[in-house]
Amino acid sequence: GAGVSQTPSNKVTEKGKYVELRCDPISGHTALYWYRQSLGQGPEFLIYFQGTGAADDSGLPNDRFFAVRPEGSVSTLKIQRTERGDSAVYLCASSPGVMGDTQYFGPGTRLTVL
Amino acid sequence: AQTVTQSQPEMSVQEAETVTLSCTYDTSESDYYLFWYKQPPSRQMILVIRQEAYKQQNATENRFSVNFQKAAKSFSLKISDSQLGDAAMYFCAYRSGQGAQKLVFGQGTRLTINP
């Protein structure tokens, strides 16, 4: 019965470094989403997984961003060569995988790039 | 592409009173879903209410109800008997009924409850 969890809660890194953000979805949810929320804005879609495959990665801003979900459960968002503009809250959500279903969100990871 | 607009950056209401948050959206689709999410300072987005576009009846969840006007592409949220715990950012979101499964969010409305 646990909800979506994300680790770490906060991450501070230096410009140019590599970071990984982890998302544990609700057990049994086949769909997983990543969103990015800049200060004072609504979340913006990054990528959507159905099972192990990325069904829609149209929101990834550039090739420094990559996400995986190798076993169809936990997902990792990877950001290479971080830039100050990457600073934001990264939200993960999961859903049962049925058309129109409700997405349940985790608490997010706040990434700060110095 | 679909867009969602929340024209009220901030709203305030007295405790126990009623407040309405506005949301409009733009789409050429006929089949879609609309959502209101609440985001308290803890950052976690919490579903408040959802509406299927094919349903004419407005959704209600306890003190929360929506006014869904499909022709006008309007989806407002009414909170009755406002409580201090309702203070949060509120986001309106759109989801296609076919194809793309992502949520498209508005800019949000910050709701303050005055005791």
Side-chain angles (χ1 to χ4, degrees), chain A residues 4 9-10 33 35 37 40-45 48 56 58 89 91 95 98-110, chain B residues 31 33 35 37 39 41-47 50 52 89 91 95-108 110:
Chain A
V4 178
S9 178
N10 292 281
Y33 311 80
Y35 295 85
Q37 186 176 22
Q41 303 292 319
E44 293 180 318
F45 170 76
Y48 153 56
D56 182 358
S58 62
V89 173
L91 296 168
S95 72
V98 177
M99 179 65 71
D101 57 11
T102 295
Q103 296 180 22
Y104 297 91
F105 284 78
T109 294
R110 181 179 298 281
Chain B
D31 183 20
Y33 304 85
F35 303 83
Y37 280 90
Q39 187 178 42
S42 65
R43 295 196 309 242
Q44 186 148 10
M45 301 283 277
I46 302 166
L47 177 71
R50 60 174 279 156
E52 291 82 358
M89 284 291 291
F91 291 95
R95 184 177 184 183
S96 172
Q98 53 201 332
Q101 293 301 293
K102 64 184 179 184
L103 289 169
V104 177
F105 286 88
Q107 305 93 318
R110 181 175 301 282

Side-chain angles (χ1 to χ4, degrees), chain A residues 3-10 20-25 32-36 74-75 77 89-94 104-110, chain B residues 42-45:
Chain A
V4 178
S5 62
Q6 293 186 245
T7 53
S9 178
N10 292 281
E20 289 189 351
L21 311 180
R22 176 187 168 107
C23 173
D24 276 90
L32 185 146
Y33 311 80
W34 284 99
Y35 295 85
R36 179 167 71 173
V74 170
S75 176
L77 179 65
V89 173
Y90 289 81
L91 296 168
C92 176
S94 72
Y104 297 91
F105 284 78
T109 294
R110 181 179 298 281
Chain B
S42 65
R43 295 196 309 242
Q44 186 148 10
M45 301 283 277

Side-chain angles (χ1 to χ4, degrees), chain B residues 37-86:
Chain B
Y37 280 90
K38 167 186 177 181
Q39 187 178 42
S42 65
R43 295 196 309 242
Q44 186 148 10
M45 301 283 277
I46 302 166
L47 177 71
V48 175
I49 198 166
R50 60 174 279 156
Q51 174 81 42
E52 291 82 358
Y54 64 83
K55 290 186 177 180
Q56 293 186 343
Q57 187 172 8
N58 289 326
T60 62
E61 287 287 343
N62 300 314
R63 297 181 296 107
F64 300 87
S65 61
V66 299
N67 184 4
F68 174 46
Q69 300 290 328
K70 191 171 184 178
K73 296 180 183 175
S74 171
F75 183 62
S76 61
L77 174 69
K78 184 171 83 170
I79 306 175
S80 303
D81 185 25
S82 298
Q83 300 177 359
L84 294 177
D86 295 334

